[in-house]
Amino acid sequence: MLHPRIESLDRDDMKALQARKLAALGERLAASPEWCDHFAKVGMHPRDLAAADGLANAPTLEKSDLRARYPFPMLTVDVSRVTRFFATSGTTGLPVLFGFTHKDLHQLLAVQVARQLYCIGVRPGERAYQGYGYGLWIGGPAHDLGLQELGVTCFPVGPGRAELVVQWLRDQAWDAATLSPLFLAHLIRVARERGIDPKKDWVLRNAIIGGQSVSRAFREQLEAEMPAGFRAYNTYGTTESGGPNVGTSCPYSHGRDEMHLINEDTVITEILDPETFKPVGPGEVGEIVVSTLDKEASPVVRWRTRDLVRISGKPYDCECGRRGMPTIGRIIGRSDDMLKVRGVLVFPSQVEDVIAATPGTVKEAWQIYVDTVDGSPTSMTVAIECDAGYDGAPSNLADAVARSLASRLGLKVPIECHPQGTLPRYEAKARRVLVKEQP
Ligand SMILES: [Zn+2]
């Protein structure tokens, strides 16, 4: 552990630390008229966060609340004190900006990300390829800060330039990588094409993979194509939580496909029923709702991420020694991506699981097409790619996927099988569900 005094706290001590910080947060928000208005919607005042049930009763926050306060929503500090703005890659409308002060970047985000990197086994003095994107997106800059904080030598190439990256992974003997799982799959493919064998020619030991959730089968296949002992650890976070700072697998939880809520001392994560907003219990599925405790600019209280996860059946007391930082599964879908087709609930992640587990498919290339009438899905089609090396007929592959999907979902779904390289590729968040509105 990089911060054993915090990371080994038991659940009660962690709760007590959060309660102290919530009271201080309430004091800070009380100075902001926007935050006072927001709490007043439910008859509360920000100082009520000091009460034992203050957070549980506080109003949730979502994009519409922020859009209504354009251009610098609920900022809490003067714009001149903001060092840098980030924004989410919104698919509709203008991006919503989140400010970060110097302290937010260098004393908070850097430390949060360094803790995660240490948790997965990255150590000072190592060399790391930074492969997340830059610009308004927080992924790249956040990992630069974390690597620097930990004392790791950073090669900030970002996503893209794959031919250079596969060669430098060999020639510069990089130990660690921070990148999206789809880009890692792409790098492995490009390496092979150029006569580089990742298994023998690279020494990469650890990767922290985020930006999108991939199935366990996909992740295990990536690991099998890499040097012996290589692990690709899941990570999760959002711009609103202050960066890629919410969840990370440890070497023990990795095997269970679970992540610790690794920064519980600075980001409170509630897993709530998306309809009742009551906490769900161990083993149950709920929406991730985050509150930032230490952030100076653009703090959030009960931000609805819309991301759904299952809390571990045994969330506390991991073998790694973290006792009060509960474990959650990987993201299983978005509450607004959840499809109800002919009365059956479908998560895109279930479709991905089936495709990843079927030999002959291209794991990173698939789409769901949905036909809707008045916004309600009436039918869905799944498009897959047939790997160039598959020796059967494409129709056989389509049949195999259709059979597995039918047994997994209880729904007959038509499968379109395309040649390798013809479906869209995504570097960051993939848009797996494309909707067609019928006239
Ligand atoms: Zn652990």
Side-chain angles (χ1 to χ4, degrees):
M1 292 180 207
L2 188 58
H3 310 120
R5 198 176 56 80
I6 298 288
E7 292 178 68
S8 60
L9 287 178
D10 67 22
R11 190 62 185 161
D12 287 344
D13 287 342
M14 183 64 75
K15 287 281 212 196
L17 183 154
Q18 290 174 338
R20 284 197 301 279
K21 288 194 176 184
L22 273 172
L25 175 65
E27 283 300 325
R28 285 195 287 125
L29 298 184
S32 157
E34 283 183 331
W35 275 101
C36 291
D37 285 351
H38 179 65
F39 272 78
K41 283 197 311 196
V42 297
M44 287 177 69
H45 186 274
R47 286 203 180 92
D48 295 334
L49 286 176
D53 59 353
L55 184 66
N57 290 319
T60 57
L61 186 67
E62 45 196 308
K63 207 156 248 174
S64 57
D65 298 308
L66 300 178
R67 285 208 192 285
R69 294 174 167 94
Y70 179 81
F72 302 122
M74 304 175 102
L75 189 56
T76 60
V77 301
D78 190 78
V79 179
S80 64
R81 284 198 55 216
V82 173
T83 300
R84 183 165 184 156
F85 279 100
F86 291 106
T88 45
S89 53
T91 44
T92 51
L94 291 172
V96 176
L97 291 173
F98 287 80
F100 288 70
T101 63
H102 189 270
K103 191 176 170 195
D104 289 338
L105 291 173
H106 297 276
Q107 291 178 39
L108 183 58
L109 181 56
V111 175
Q112 290 168 333
V113 176
R115 179 186 292 177
Q116 302 185 163
L117 293 167
Y118 195 92
C119 175
I120 70 156
V122 181
R123 292 294 177 266
E126 291 188 351
R127 303 170 195 179
Y129 160 55
Q130 201 307 100
Y132 291 111
Y134 292 89
L136 278 175
W137 197 46
I138 198 166
H143 282 93
D144 283 354
L145 286 165
L147 291 165
Q148 184 184 322
E149 173 73 21
L150 193 57
V152 175
T153 305
C154 179
F155 296 84
V157 189
R161 306 191 71 179
E163 299 197 346
L164 177 69
V165 172
V166 300
Q167 189 177 333
W168 277 0
L169 272 162
R170 180 190 64 194
D171 300 345
Q172 301 176 354
W174 294 340
D175 307 285
T178 58
L179 78 179
S180 91
L182 297 190
F183 196 61
L184 180 56
H186 180 63
L187 289 178
I188 292 171
R189 199 177 292 273
V190 171
R192 291 252 167 73
E193 283 165 11
R194 294 177 60 87
I196 294 173
D197 179 359
K199 240 180 168 16
K200 295 203 191 85
D201 298 331
W202 294 352
V203 297
L204 205 61
R205 268 189 317 117
N206 294 304
I208 197 155
I209 57 169
Q212 75 248 104
S213 193
V214 290
S215 71
R216 184 177 191 153
F218 182 94
R219 187 169 56 66
E220 285 171 354
Q221 187 186 324
L222 282 182
E223 290 176 346
E225 295 179 75
M226 295 291 285
F230 169 86
R231 292 282 172 272
Y233 291 92
N234 287 336
T235 186
Y236 171 81
T238 72
T239 308
E240 296 84 1
S241 68
N245 58 4
V246 174
T248 298
S249 303
C250 75
Y252 297 91
S253 71
H254 178 73
R256 305 188 293 266
D257 212 24
E258 290 177 342
M259 297 180 281
H260 281 280
L261 298 176
I262 190 83
N263 286 301
E264 278 273 273
D265 54 323
T266 51
V267 180
I268 293 187
T269 303
E270 300 174 274
I271 314 292
L272 303 179
D273 180 311
E275 271 151 24
T276 64
F277 295 113
K278 296 284 174 242
V280 301
E284 293 179 343
V285 173
E287 179 178 328
I288 298 181
V289 174
V290 290
S291 301
T292 57
L293 290 170
D294 289 0
K295 204 153 171 292
E296 289 187 320
S298 305
V300 296
V301 175
R302 305 195 98 195
W303 171 263
R304 291 192 60 183
T305 65
R306 310 274 168 177
D307 288 323
L308 299 169
V309 287
R310 189 182 302 282
I311 304 187
S312 166
K314 182 181 168 290
Y316 301 107
D317 302 321
C318 183
E319 301 94 309
C320 67
R322 289 177 188 82
R323 293 182 292 162
M325 293 177 162
T327 47
I328 57 172
R330 70 189 172 92
I331 307 302
I332 58 174
R334 289 182 59 76
S335 54
D336 37 6
D337 251 4
M338 220 163 56
L339 295 167
K340 205 170 190 178
V341 181
R342 301 197 298 273
V344 178
L345 217 50
V346 177
F347 289 108
S349 59
Q350 296 172 306
V351 176
E352 182 187 24
D353 284 347
V354 166
I355 293 169
T358 310
T361 59
V362 178
K363 313 299 176 214
E364 74 268 25
W366 56 278
Q367 291 293 147
I368 299 174
Y369 298 106
V370 179
D371 291 307
T372 61
V373 173
D374 299 330
S376 303
T378 51
S379 67
M380 65 182 264
T381 305
V382 171
I384 59 170
E385 284 186 0
C386 181
D387 190 281
Y390 180 67
D391 54 9
S395 61
N396 292 344
L397 185 62
D399 289 345
V401 171
R403 273 196 306 275
S404 305
L405 267 184
S407 75
R408 177 82 189 259
L409 303 177
L411 191 68
K412 268 186 94 125
V413 180
I415 308 293
E416 291 174 3
C417 192
H418 299 266
Q420 182 168 352
T422 49
L423 290 173
R425 300 298 198 267
Y426 301 92
E427 279 185 356
K429 265 195 178 129
R431 277 192 75 197
R432 295 301 189 188
V433 182
L434 299 173
V435 176
K436 282 185 285 183
E437 181 73 29
Q438 295 294 304

